[in-house]
Structure formats: structure tokens, C-alpha cells
Amino acid sequence: MLEGLHPNRPTHLFRITTDERSARAMTDMIGEIFDPAETAVASFETEDGGPWMLEAYFAHPPDEAAIRSLLRPFVGAEADKGVFLPIEQKDWVKASLEGLKPVRAGRIFVHGSHDREQRRPSDLPIEIEAGLAFGTGHHGTTKGCLLAFVDELKMRTPRHVLDVGTGTGILAFAAAKILKRPVVAGDIDPEAVRVARENARLNGIGAWMKLYVGPGIRHADANRPGHFDLVFANILAKPLRMLSPALARVASSDGTIILSGLLYRDVPGVLSAYAYQGWHLQRRYDLEGWAALVLKRGSARPQPRSLQGYSARMPG
């Protein structure tokens, strides 16, 4: 996933520190108002029990006065203390990784090069050198998908995997490393695919990755009816709904679809779209304000799993 279809080549960052309630409310508001292809927003706790920070990335110079006006109903005069910063064209996600901790999901351990020493002998490590694309694994949507994948492996071993909207490639890499089989992964953003290809090489799985540039399944490697017994799609609610016929078509009759990029309020609409295609919820993972859904053909009893502590509204 492009951890939310990030703005291509972000030019400006807005940052403000506030309380949790205000941060969550502003995150939702910015995520609803601004074009998801040009804006990404997230809020998170800066330390245990401490203040929260909201960060918004913009693909074009934002109207600073207008944004402050939008935030005043939430934080009053504190809106004027928020700062706008220009972003030079560099590995801006890499810079953000410096303050982030590694992520674990079962044996899967996602980390940057600066955290190699934290790997355990039993870990299945995925090292990510971030580039100009989201997808570091620290976002709740990606971690939710990883947890869903770990639980899926307890019940079955997929043979053919597709990752739609792969971003830096984490989900596809986890599948390739564990299954030791080729994985098809694509993204609409050429920069994301370039980063994914570099990360695959870094992790020694370049030969297992069939990467493509294109929207949805619009590629010969992906558009294979009934072929994939595991499909990941970690993107926005609207494109997930629009992709429901296509993903249902390429999934095998006994396959699994893992979806994320969903705020809790997005879940009913997405489930409805897939139910129309004959797919129903088997398991649900609630993590950091986001939901990850595991779907199977036919009906199944939902089994929620909730983990708390982080809220984000990155489009997708």
C-alpha cells in the first residue's frame, strides 16, 4: 500500500501539538476535506501519557490562513502555534523513520537499517529503507494486515498471492519470505514500485517479486480470474469498494481477501460492496483507529480483535 495514497512529491508539512481528542477530530476533518491524492494526515501520541501531534503533508503549497481557520473550532488560538515547513525533495519518509520503533507481528519484524541489532534469531526480518513512498509498517493499516496474515497462516498455506497497492512492499515481502513463493504486487505510483523493487533486492527476495505499475489489477500478472488464494488490498475505502468486483473475480473460490485502509466508519460500506460479490467478514482487526478485514466467500462470524494507542487518517 501507498500507506494512504500519499501526495506525490510532498512540498509542505504542517505540524501541531495538542490533546488526543482534538488531534483525532482534526485528523478526521482534514482527511475528509482535502483531496486524498494530494494530502496525507496522521496523529499520534508523542510519549506515553503525553501530548499528541498532528502532521499533515501537502503536495502543493497550502493556504496557511485557511487551514488555521479550519482548526480554530477544535483548538482555538492554539491553531496559530502550528508550524508549516517546506519539504525538500529527499527521502522524507526515511527522515520520519528515525523516530519510529520497529514493528512486530508474530515472527514478522519490520525495521529500518538502524534497528538491525534488535532482530531476534527467530524473527523473519523485513528491512525497509523508505523512499518517496509511504509503507513503513508503522501505520495501523499495514500492521493490521500483517496480523491478519499471521493468523491466516495458522489455518492454511496460500500458494498464489496478490498485493494491490503495495507501496514499499511490506505485505508482499512478508508473503514471499514466509511462503518462499513468487508474489504479484502492483501500485499505481511508479515511485512506489521503484522503492518496492529496491526493498525487495535489499531483503534478498527480488527474484520472487513480480512488480507492476498500474491501477488495481490492470496488468496481465494480476488480472487472472480465480487464480489468487490470498489477496491483499490496503488502500482507501472508496477504491476498495470500486475494486470489489475485480478482486472478487481474481480470488479463488476458497481464497481469502484481506482489506485495510479503513476507518471504523468505513467498514459497513466496504462490507456491503463485497457482500454483493458473495464475500463476507470472517475476522476483523481494530488497530490504532483503523480496521483490517478478512473476507471469505459465503458467510462467517466476525471475530473482532482490538489494539489501541495510535490514530491516523492517511488517505488510503
Side-chain angles (χ1 to χ4, degrees):
M1 168 197 175
L2 283 164
E3 288 290 347
L5 292 177
H6 69 291
N8 289 309
R9 312 299 190 274
T11 63
H12 289 75
L13 164 68
F14 173 73
R15 182 179 288 147
I16 186 171
T17 301
T18 183
D19 61 276
E20 177 182 356
R21 182 177 179 180
S22 298
R24 290 180 180 272
M26 292 189 294
T27 296
D28 286 348
M29 184 271 295
I30 292 174
E32 291 290 341
I33 290 178
F34 290 91
D35 185 344
E38 298 186 350
T39 307
V41 60
S43 56
F44 50 91
E45 192 176 30
T46 57
E47 58 184 71
D48 290 343
W52 280 53
M53 180 175 291
L54 178 146
E55 292 184 342
Y57 292 88
F58 300 91
H60 305 289
D63 184 333
E64 298 184 13
I67 291 172
R68 294 187 195 279
S69 294
L70 287 172
L71 301 186
R72 283 196 183 93
F74 300 97
V75 294
E78 293 295 309
D80 294 325
K81 295 184 180 180
V83 296
F84 288 88
L85 302 168
I87 301 176
E88 296 182 10
Q89 290 308 301
K90 60 179 182 179
D91 290 352
W92 60 282
V93 179
K94 181 178 180 180
S96 71
L97 273 176
E98 294 175 357
L100 294 174
K101 296 179 181 179
V103 167
R104 293 187 183 277
R107 291 178 51 232
I108 301 169
F109 180 61
V110 183
H111 65 94
S113 59
H114 54 290
D115 284 313
R116 288 175 184 166
E117 70 281 359
Q118 296 192 40
R119 294 183 296 194
R120 301 169 183 167
S122 60
D123 282 340
L124 190 150
I126 299 175
E127 183 170 318
I128 297 296
E129 289 302 322
L132 292 172
F134 275 147
T136 63
H138 299 83
H139 191 283
T141 61
T142 305
K143 186 171 182 179
C145 288
L146 290 173
L147 291 170
F149 177 49
V150 168
D151 285 346
E152 184 71 11
L153 292 172
K154 297 174 183 177
M155 296 175 283
R156 63 200 300 267
T157 302
R159 291 177 55 82
H160 304 291
V161 179
L162 171 65
D163 182 13
V164 177
T166 193
T168 45
I170 289 174
L171 301 178
F173 296 172
K177 279 203 165 190
I178 290 176
L179 302 174
K180 299 187 186 325
R181 296 183 60 86
V183 172
V184 177
D187 203 290
I188 195 172
D189 183 2
E191 181 64 22
V193 174
R194 184 196 67 78
V195 171
R197 185 170 286 110
E198 287 299 310
N199 282 325
R201 181 191 58 78
L202 177 68
N203 284 272
I205 54 175
W208 287 343
M209 299 304 302
K210 295 183 177 181
L211 292 162
Y212 67 91
V213 177
I217 62 168
R218 294 184 190 175
H219 189 276
D221 286 340
N223 193 3
R224 303 179 64 182
H227 180 70
F228 298 100
D229 51 1
L230 177 60
V231 177
F232 292 110
N234 189 6
I235 46 182
L236 276 172
K238 182 177 180 180
L240 282 178
R241 293 195 301 269
M242 294 175 64
L243 281 169
S244 59
L247 299 188
R249 186 175 72 253
V250 300
S252 64
S253 59
D254 62 344
T256 300
I257 298 177
I258 297 177
L259 307 177
S260 195
L262 305 169
L263 294 173
Y264 299 155
R265 65 170 180 263
D266 297 328
V267 171
V270 170
L271 287 179
S272 178
Y274 283 82
Y276 187 77
Q277 304 298 328
W279 291 75
H280 299 276
L281 180 68
Q282 184 182 68
R283 301 191 306 279
R284 170 175 170 168
Y285 299 74
D286 291 340
L287 176 66
E288 302 170 358
W290 299 89
L293 311 177
V294 179
L295 307 182
K296 300 278 189 177
R297 291 193 192 273
S299 60
R301 181 188 299 270
Q303 302 175 17
R305 175 177 177 178
S306 297
L307 300 171
Q308 304 297 329
Y310 175 93
S311 174
R313 182 63 166 94
M314 294 184 182

Coordinates of all heavy atoms in Angstrom, one line a residue, residues 9 66 68 81 97 114 131-132 148 179-180 206 261 264 295 299:
R9 N 5.5 13.6 -4.2 CA 6.4 14.6 -4.0 C 5.9 15.7 -3.1 O 5.6 16.8 -3.5 CB 6.9 15.3 -5.3 CG 7.2 14.3 -6.4 CD 8.4 13.4 -6.0 NE 9.0 12.7 -7.1 CZ 8.5 11.5 -7.5 NH1 7.5 10.9 -6.8 NH2 9.0 10.8 -8.5
A66 N -6.2 29.6 5.7 CA -7.4 28.8 5.6 C -7.3 27.6 6.5 O -8.3 27.2 7.2 CB -7.7 28.4 4.2
R68 N -5.5 27.2 9.3 CA -5.6 27.6 10.7 C -7.1 27.9 11.0 O -7.5 27.6 12.1 CB -4.7 28.8 10.9 CG -3.2 28.6 10.8 CD -2.4 29.8 11.2 NE -1.0 29.7 10.7 CZ -0.1 29.0 11.3 NH1 -0.4 28.3 12.4 NH2 1.1 29.0 10.9
K81 N -0.3 28.3 16.6 CA 1.0 27.8 17.0 C 1.5 26.7 16.1 O 2.6 26.2 16.3 CB 1.0 27.4 18.5 CG 0.7 28.5 19.5 CD 0.8 28.0 20.9 CE 0.6 29.2 21.9 NZ 0.6 28.7 23.3
L97 N 11.3 8.0 9.8 CA 11.6 6.7 10.4 C 12.6 6.8 11.6 O 12.6 5.9 12.4 CB 12.2 5.7 9.3 CG 11.2 4.9 8.5 CD1 12.0 4.1 7.5 CD2 10.3 4.1 9.3
H114 N 18.8 1.1 10.9 CA 19.3 1.5 12.2 C 18.8 0.6 13.4 O 19.3 0.8 14.5 CB 18.9 3.0 12.5 CG 17.4 3.2 12.4 ND1 16.7 3.2 11.2 CD2 16.5 3.5 13.3 CE1 15.5 3.4 11.4 NE2 15.3 3.6 12.7
G131 N 11.6 5.4 0.9 CA 11.9 6.4 -0.1 C 10.8 7.4 -0.2 O 10.1 7.7 0.8
L132 N 10.5 7.9 -1.4 CA 9.4 8.8 -1.6 C 8.1 8.1 -1.7 O 7.3 8.4 -2.6 CB 9.7 9.7 -2.8 CG 10.9 10.6 -2.7 CD1 11.2 11.3 -4.0 CD2 10.6 11.7 -1.6
A148 N -3.4 -10.1 10.4 CA -4.4 -11.0 9.8 C -3.7 -12.1 9.0 O -4.1 -13.2 9.0 CB -5.2 -10.1 8.9
L179 N 6.3 -17.8 2.6 CA 5.8 -18.9 1.7 C 6.9 -19.4 0.7 O 6.8 -20.5 0.2 CB 4.6 -18.4 0.9 CG 3.4 -17.9 1.7 CD1 2.4 -17.3 0.7 CD2 2.8 -19.0 2.5
K180 N 7.9 -18.5 0.6 CA 9.0 -18.9 -0.3 C 8.5 -19.2 -1.8 O 8.9 -20.2 -2.4 CB 9.9 -20.1 0.2 CG 10.5 -19.8 1.5 CD 11.4 -20.9 1.9 CE 12.0 -20.7 3.3 NZ 12.2 -19.4 3.8
G206 N 14.2 -10.3 -4.5 CA 13.9 -9.7 -5.7 C 13.4 -10.7 -6.8 O 12.5 -10.4 -7.6
G261 N -7.0 0.1 5.3 CA -7.0 1.4 4.9 C -8.4 2.0 5.3 O -8.8 3.0 4.7
Y264 N -13.0 3.1 11.1 CA -14.1 2.2 11.6 C -15.4 2.5 10.9 O -16.2 1.6 10.5 CB -14.3 2.3 13.1 CG -13.1 1.9 13.9 CD1 -12.9 2.5 15.2 CD2 -12.1 1.1 13.4 CE1 -11.8 2.1 15.9 CE2 -11.0 0.7 14.1 CZ -10.8 1.2 15.4 OH -9.7 0.9 16.1
L295 N -11.9 -11.5 4.6 CA -13.1 -11.9 3.9 C -13.0 -13.3 3.3 O -11.9 -13.6 2.8 CB -13.5 -10.9 2.8 CG -13.6 -9.4 3.2 CD1 -14.0 -8.6 2.1 CD2 -14.6 -9.2 4.4
S299 N -20.7 -16.8 4.2 CA -20.9 -16.1 5.4 C -20.0 -16.7 6.5 O -19.7 -17.9 6.6 CB -22.3 -16.1 5.9 OG -22.8 -17.4 6.1

